[in-house]
Amino acid sequence: MNKPIEERELILAILLEVTRDKVPGHLALSRVLSKYQYLDKRERAFITRVTEGTLEHMIEIDYIIDQFSKTKTAKMKPVIRIILRSAVYQLKYMDQVPASAVCNEAVRLAKKRGFQNLSGFVNGVLRTIARQMDQVKLPEHPLSRRLSVQYSIPEWMVEMWLSSYPEETVEKMLSFMMEEHPTCIRFDPGRITKEEIKARLKEDGVEKVEDHPVLPYALWISGYDYLGGLETFEEGLFYVQDASSMMAVESLPVKKGDSIIDVCAAPGGKALHAAEKLAGTGHVDARDLTEYKVGLIEENIGRSGLTNISARQQDARVCDEASVETADIVIADLPCSGLGVLATKKDIRYNMTPETQKELAALQREILSVVHRYVKPGGTLLYSTCTINREENEENTAWFLEQHREFALIKEKQFLPGIDPCDGFYIAVMKKQESK
Ligand SMILES: C[S@@+](CC[C@H](N)C(=O)[O-])C[C@H]1O[C@@H](n2cnc3c(N)ncnc32)[C@H](O)[C@@H]1O
């Protein structure tokens, strides 16, 4: 079997799922990698690099294609558009693949997918781009358009951030979102020491393991093949979680014996972290909307070996009367637009819209209006999101505090990627007054 063609067919299938069917990129990719286990390390790396890279640079790539093609990318057939996009990514960003091979494989794939009539078009556009790539200039004005093309972030997002943060901060954020970053993991120091987990990761074939600069139980790992294939992962010796999420739980006054409710817990990152902090005491009640999501939390609880945490299905918009004033801590890590994690989830930027953000901000208010009631007098409410958008973050917290004078803001922080050593993330810790 001719391997290069097969890899490119898989890349086409993944990118179609993501761009046409709106399947999250990391899911589409990991499904293919786990289905085609026989692919070797190099092939898996190629598929990962081209799919992630194409998604990451898609606005820039479309801009390049549109300079040379009479039919603009927006008007192209989805299969042809994807074939061109992934080929242009290889031409621009992968020196090790010869330009002629990129063009030939793209033409061959177009024919194989039944577009014999467009193979000349694919060939012509790609060979022109290969010859003239160096002459492509970024648009100069306005600034939002230049940054949008340069960093492949939709212009409306760039405009939103430029209206909230200085230009220099926005450019640092955008630049961070384009870079490759190691995977951040959390281990439980109550279960394994840092030296032991580092040694086990090395045995598992992980090439690089680094200490996180702030959190003693966080590590950055890179140079591994497939995470699900690592023994340390199977044994539940670590949990993949960005440091920003860890800092959310770190900012809570967790004490032994506490009763904690996490109202939107799946897949369980913060709930498990909180349960670890309880060190075998107290209880974490981890909830989510659907049975499927509860299953994900249960899978992670099973791997963790923790016994002071359980999962159940509960719609956070509906008040669970039995929980009112029962929790020392309520974690409300709510569904959000996810713009803080664009460095890892490359496709969110293309699926999010200002309208959806507004709907999410309203949903967050609806959930907060219900779940604050679970906090005991003197207890704590954590509101967090993994996004960078004042409407979902600071404005929602201000609105909540205005409505609920019994809560006081203890800590508020917007982590910014490229500025803080983590993804973009928002935390508001609020304390409920003691009963009179
Ligand atoms: C940001 S994620 C939570 C991440 C989680 N806290 C962690 O650290 O792993 C938001 C979660 O809210 C859940 N969700 C959305 N609407 C919900 C609702 N009405 N009730 C409960 N959970 C909901 C989603 O299924 C999703 O799992």
Side-chain angles (χ1 to χ4, degrees), residues 121-135:
F121 166 73
V122 168
N123 192 39
V125 170
L126 287 179
R127 288 192 194 273
T128 311
I129 291 176
R131 274 197 313 273
Q132 300 186 33
M133 181 81 84
D134 296 345
Q135 292 160 33

Side-chain angles (χ1 to χ4, degrees), residues 17-67:
E17 269 203 291
V18 176
T19 54
R20 193 183 55 191
D21 311 332
K22 311 280 179 230
V23 174
H26 63 290
L27 285 187
L29 177 63
S30 65
R31 264 209 300 256
V32 163
L33 292 183
S34 63
K35 183 169 172 192
Y36 298 93
Q37 292 279 345
Y38 60 82
L39 294 166
D40 67 29
K41 196 171 172 174
R42 193 203 56 79
E43 292 163 329
R44 301 163 87 79
F46 181 77
I47 292 170
T48 305
R49 167 102 193 259
V50 177
T51 50
E52 288 187 345
T54 304
L55 287 172
E56 191 172 11
H57 294 274
M58 207 155 80
I59 293 178
E60 184 198 18
I61 289 171
D62 285 3
Y63 175 78
I64 295 172
I65 296 171
D66 287 348
Q67 308 280 303

